Amino acid sequence: MRTINRRTIKKLYRDAILQVFGTDDKDLDESLQEAVVSDIHFGDEAPGEWSPDSVLEIYCENGIPNATDVFYPQDYGFEGSASHNSESWADVDGVVNLMLEAMQRPERFHHEPYNSAVINIYRN
């Protein structure tokens, strides 16, 4: 079996990020929708050149949440426990890998934060 096309992985991550972090409201998701188009790059072609050996390099400065943030609802006058973006990024990986399984593909992928503004995607 041939290796899966990396454009497919890019599309799967775009869709998964919108599914996990989006609200299904076009206006509220506008910056996220723009970011998944402009801020997800193939690792060896990414302008930052942070991790050229990664499959994808995702920039988290224009709408895509990074994997290291923690949201404390109390800081904004809400009740509830802290929310960790790392948990949501695990969900993003899960959606991508579930779609690959549905496509009967053996490949699996995972994210690794590079810093507070860059996430890299690697093949398992």
Side-chain angles (χ1 to χ4, degrees):
M1 181 179 279
R2 288 185 24 217
T3 302
I4 193 163
N5 185 307
R6 66 186 188 161
R7 285 176 292 183
T8 301
I9 300 306
K10 187 176 185 178
K11 181 185 180 327
L12 289 174
Y13 267 93
R14 282 179 175 169
D15 293 347
I17 289 167
L18 287 170
Q19 181 178 334
V20 171
F21 292 110
T23 65
D24 288 330
D25 180 296
K26 184 178 178 181
D27 293 331
L28 290 176
D29 291 345
E30 184 176 4
S31 64
L32 181 61
Q33 290 174 348
E34 290 172 3
V36 297
V37 171
S38 64
D39 292 342
I40 301 176
H41 308 276
F42 297 122
D44 60 348
E45 297 175 3
E49 300 178 357
W50 298 105
S51 297
D53 60 330
S54 65
V55 176
L56 299 175
E57 195 165 283
I58 300 174
Y59 300 148
C60 304
E61 298 171 316
N62 297 315
I64 299 174
N66 71 43
T68 58
D69 279 351
V70 179
F71 173 73
Y72 296 98
Q74 308 85 309
D75 293 348
Y76 300 91
F78 300 105
E79 293 184 22
S81 58
S83 170
H84 300 264
N85 278 357
S86 59
E87 295 167 359
S88 296
W89 272 96
D91 291 343
V92 170
D93 292 336
V95 169
V96 168
N97 291 323
L98 184 62
M99 293 307 299
L100 289 167
E101 186 177 320
M103 296 165 60
Q104 299 182 347
R105 298 298 310 200
E107 299 93 337
R108 298 296 177 262
F109 294 83
H110 69 280
H111 77 281
E112 289 183 16
Y114 181 84
N115 58 30
S116 62
V118 177
I119 293 173
N120 292 109
I121 305 301
Y122 294 96
R123 184 179 314 272
N124 285 356

